[in-house]
Amino acid sequence: MSELAETTQFLAGREPWSLLPPDAVASFARRASGSYVRRGGVILAAGSAPGVMHVIRSGAVEVRDAADGLVTHEEPGACFGQASILEQRGSRFTFVALEDTLLWTFGTDVVEELVAVPEIRRFFTESRLADANVRSPEGGPVLQVPVRDMITRKPVTIPETATVGEAATAMDAQRISAIIVTGTDGDLAGILTDRDLRRVVARDLPASTPLREVMSTTPVTIDGDALALDVLMRLVDRKIHHLPVMVDGHVTGMVTSGDLMRLERSSPLYIVGDISRQNDLAGLVSVVGRVPSLVSRLLRQDAAAFDIAHIVSGTSEALWQRLAQLTEERLGPPPVPYCWVALGSLARREQALGSDQDHAMILSDEALPEHDAYFEELAEELTAALVACGFPRCHGDAMATKWRKPLTGWWRTFSSWLDAPTSEAVLNSSIFFDMRPIHGDAALAAELQRRILATAPASTRFLGHMAGHIGDVDVPIGFLGGFVVEKRGQHRDRLDIKLGGINPIVDIARHHSLRYGLPHVGTRARLTAAGAHLSEVDNLLDAHEFMSYTRLQHQDRQVLRGEAPDNFIAPSRLSEFERRHLRSAFAFVGRAQTALGLAYQTHILR
């Protein structure tokens, strides 16, 4: 069998090609180009705009979302890339070869010819709906949003007795591409779109032409209780861009293809994609400014705090990576390999709103003293850019402007902390032992982590002092079970939920990861992995989730009021249900502190 015949036979047995006549399949098969991708190779990255549609001939492809979560696996016959071509946007997902994979690729002209076939257009539309309704980390599918929630303004209307010129003037003044036409009773009588106006110009009709002669008198509408999914389906099927929204027989607004695009752009997938497309700091500042509204939306959808923090961290990682790329473009390539690493909450992927910046640089051991000028300038520019993007400087100066050294130097530093557990060394453990590579040679960070995890379990003195430090944190619950709040100052009658609740759980999880040499960085992953050695893991996981969610709700309300987000919660503003659960969460933290202290006899160390 010839290669063309084999390609034709393969395609003809799979949708959407099986929806075509046999001779048409052979015609498309001639235009296929083959490519080979080794296992682990990225075929299409989230946010990037594909120029081709891919079809898997053999092998398998893993599909991951923008937060690096697994979405699905694609097998031979599956095609991808066409949705981004049709919608003229970046890819929602990253496609990675799960094993050595052979692909056939088709150009945009093939995609356009395929969608001209109604059956194939519907197949691709249904595929796009399935993609949009995959449960993403944001807590709910984008296309499950009710139509009434998509309306952004009151309907702009004009009476049917008006002229074309009057309608065009109104559309220009309101900066809209369609206007709703109403009858004498105020109900929907028709719609005039920019497409209708183009026909007016083409026919050389005067501006005095009555509106009813050129408007669409039977516009396609949609009910306010429908979903964004229905909007997409209707727009694609009817090849239109505007839908008047009807509630109880009356028009209440208009949704458009642009509204649908903006809705999708509010998802983390689009924010990450937009970040990757920015070429200057001003653009990045603008995109990152959408993150607080994203958090608000996720909270309204009742997404878990773990998922929200993971998404916020994912957008931060994308931002930091883009900043590093742009800064290197200005400064030139680094003189030696290096790795810019995130520390603290971003490393754990547990960022909330208002997080400061914690980071460092690991340089190759090839670095010479004369190379430091480059890395000093790089660190200063990155730190300043992060400030501009809303990440305050770390009050403890845990930033690459101070903390950058070769791998060997870093290992000497960590070794000294593990060998001589001073109070400063224990304090540093709360920042520097949570590390994740952001940009550069990730092997440098991996090697440092390998050495730390190989040594830490035997560093019993350090682990003991670390346990003592964890136990020294006062949980804000009094002897009789009441909340211990600030007595004076700007945070009067409030408690620091991070300091007295979230941080001790994070510290306990970190302690166990070092004690047992666990490679996990996130708090949930560390607690789960340490489950065989740690009592009440489920209670600590629930306590961490509840307190993190309570903090996010508090920060969201602050942002809506125009205030800077912080960690100080007013128990009096919580419901009785929330106060009861917060007391229980703090109690679990206190019990875990006590158990750790007994295990290491920390009272002897004091």
Side-chain angles (χ1 to χ4, degrees):
M1 182 182 295
S2 69
E3 182 177 351
L4 175 59
E6 192 272 338
T7 304
T8 302
Q9 184 182 58
F10 179 89
L11 293 176
R14 293 164 173 81
E15 289 188 318
W17 314 95
S18 59
L19 303 173
L20 295 168
D23 58 337
V25 177
S27 175
F28 283 117
R30 292 188 180 91
R31 297 156 70 179
S33 298
S35 62
Y36 176 77
V37 182
R38 295 191 64 82
R39 177 183 179 183
V42 176
I43 304 166
L44 177 62
S48 62
V52 296
M53 176 180 72
H54 299 280
V55 177
I56 303 173
R57 173 60 185 90
S58 62
V61 172
E62 186 177 73
V63 185
R64 307 194 73 85
D65 60 30
D68 202 33
L70 178 64
V71 175
T72 188
H73 291 146
E74 296 286 13
E75 303 295 337
C79 51
F80 56 91
Q82 70 279 357
S84 297
I85 292 173
L86 293 172
E87 298 176 15
Q88 297 182 342
R89 56 159 174 80
S91 174
R92 290 188 180 95
F93 307 109
T94 293
F95 296 82
V96 181
L98 192 59
E99 55 190 68
D100 291 351
T101 298
L102 178 62
L103 299 169
W104 284 326
T105 58
F106 296 87
T108 56
D109 56 331
V110 170
V111 176
E112 292 169 356
E113 290 176 37
L114 286 173
V115 297
V117 180
E119 294 81 3
I120 293 183
R121 183 172 69 251
R122 176 168 289 277
F123 172 83
F124 282 152
T125 299
E126 292 173 351
S127 298
R128 288 150 70 188
L129 295 179
D131 286 345
N133 281 285
V134 170
R135 187 169 181 84
S136 67
E138 66 186 284
V142 169
L143 295 185
Q144 290 297 320
V145 174
V147 169
R148 65 176 72 244
D149 289 346
M150 294 174 61
I151 299 174
T152 58
R153 64 188 298 176
K154 293 181 178 179
V156 180
T157 65
I158 192 168
E160 62 180 341
T161 55
T163 65
V164 169
E166 290 170 336
T169 299
M171 290 169 64
D172 181 62
Q174 295 291 331
R175 296 185 177 181
I176 54 177
S177 55
I179 191 166
I180 293 170
V181 183
T182 56
T184 55
D185 55 1
D187 287 341
L188 179 66
I191 186 174
L192 183 78
T193 70
D194 52 1
R195 182 183 298 177
D196 297 322
L197 290 177
R198 287 196 294 271
R199 282 197 290 265
V200 168
V201 174
R203 292 162 57 188
D204 199 23
L205 297 176
S208 58
T209 301
L211 195 54
R212 61 173 65 93
E213 293 184 11
V214 296
M215 70 182 188
S216 300
T217 56
T218 55
V220 180
T221 63
I222 194 161
D223 191 83
D225 291 327
L227 302 177
L229 176 152
D230 302 306
V231 174
L232 176 60
M233 198 71 176
R234 202 156 298 182
L235 293 178
V236 171
D237 281 350
R238 300 299 186 95
K239 297 183 181 179
I240 55 178
H241 298 282
H242 309 84
L243 287 173
V245 179
M246 308 298 291
V247 175
D248 297 329
H250 301 287
V251 62
T252 60
M254 179 109 71
V255 291
T256 69
S257 55
D259 293 325
L260 193 62
M261 185 177 296
R262 280 188 290 275
L263 177 65
E264 292 181 325
R265 282 169 59 86
S266 69
S267 78
L269 301 174
Y270 279 84
I271 292 178
V272 169
D274 283 349
I275 286 173
S276 69
R277 288 189 289 272
Q278 301 308 309
N279 293 315
D280 55 38
L281 181 58
L284 290 170
V285 170
S286 176
V287 175
V288 174
R290 287 153 46 191
V291 172
S293 61
L294 169 63
V295 171
S296 291
R297 179 173 164 230
L298 296 176
L299 287 169
R300 290 197 302 272
Q301 293 180 346
D302 201 27
F306 172 82
D307 293 330
I308 296 174
H310 199 86
I311 290 167
V312 172
S313 300
T315 59
S316 294
E317 284 188 31
L319 169 70
W320 290 33
Q321 289 165 355
R322 188 59 181 146
L323 284 173
Q325 293 165 357
L326 293 175
T327 306
E328 280 190 11
E329 288 176 9
R330 285 196 301 276
L331 299 182
V336 294
Y338 78 103
C339 185
W340 188 30
V341 295
L343 308 172
S345 61
L346 179 54
R348 298 190 304 272
R349 290 182 174 157
E350 295 168 6
Q351 274 198 332
L353 296 177
S355 297
D356 62 2
Q357 51 177 293
D358 300 306
H359 50 88
M361 285 182 183
I362 306 172
L363 312 183
S364 164
D365 284 334
E366 302 169 4
L368 301 173
E370 55 265 31
H371 295 153
D372 192 57
Y374 175 92
F375 291 109
E376 179 180 12
E377 185 175 2
L378 177 63
E380 291 289 353
E381 286 204 19
L382 288 173
T383 300
L386 287 174
V387 171
C389 290
F391 294 85
R393 295 177 68 96
C394 173
H395 294 300
D397 212 20
M399 298 173 292
T401 49
K402 176 182 178 181
W403 294 92
R404 60 180 185 278
K405 57 185 72 179
L407 174 61
T408 300
W410 274 110
W411 175 234
R412 281 197 297 266
T413 297
F414 276 97
S415 294
S416 67
W417 291 343
L418 293 170
D419 293 340
T422 63
S423 58
E424 181 183 4
V426 174
L427 181 62
N428 286 333
S429 72
S430 66
I431 302 175
F432 289 91
F433 281 87
D434 298 345
M435 181 180 291
R436 184 184 299 278
I438 293 292
H439 178 78
D441 187 355
L444 294 169
E447 174 58 21
L448 181 58
Q449 185 190 42
R450 186 193 65 78
R451 297 183 190 183
I452 292 169
L453 295 179
T455 305
S459 304
T460 53
R461 286 185 60 226
F462 174 83
L463 293 172
H465 280 79
M466 187 177 175
H469 173 75
I470 294 171
D472 287 340
V473 176
D474 292 326
V475 175
I477 291 291
F479 182 72
L480 298 178
F483 293 110
V484 178
V485 296
E486 299 288 322
K487 301 300 183 185
R488 59 184 64 84
Q490 69 178 110
H491 301 304
R492 181 178 177 179
D493 296 329
R494 299 170 181 266
L495 58 84
D496 190 335
I497 195 171
K498 178 182 178 183
L499 179 65
I502 296 173
N503 278 0
I505 299 177
V506 172
D507 292 340
I508 290 168
R510 182 187 303 108
H511 182 280
H512 280 78
S513 73
L514 293 173
R515 181 180 181 182
Y516 298 106
L518 304 174
H520 310 81
V521 180
T523 298
R524 175 184 285 193
R526 284 170 166 173
L527 289 174
T528 302
H533 314 286
L534 180 63
S535 61
E536 296 196 79
V537 167
D538 289 340
N539 287 332
L540 284 177
L541 287 170
D542 289 343
H544 186 260
E545 169 66 26
F546 179 77
M547 288 190 285
S548 297
Y549 192 84
T550 301
R551 176 175 64 159
L552 281 170
Q553 286 182 310
H554 163 70
Q555 292 180 337
D556 178 52
R557 288 190 291 267
Q558 288 182 304
V559 170
L560 292 175
R561 294 194 300 265
E563 302 170 3
D566 61 30
N567 304 299
F568 289 89
I569 306 294
S572 61
R573 296 184 181 179
L574 301 177
S575 68
E576 179 56 38
F577 175 87
E578 291 170 324
R579 288 195 293 271
R580 184 167 64 250
H581 279 73
L582 187 56
R583 288 191 190 96
S584 297
F586 282 136
F588 290 133
V589 173
R591 279 155 51 178
Q593 287 175 307
T594 300
L596 190 60
L598 290 173
Y600 280 86
Q601 298 291 295
T602 54
H603 62 283
I604 299 175
L605 299 175
R606 292 186 173 89

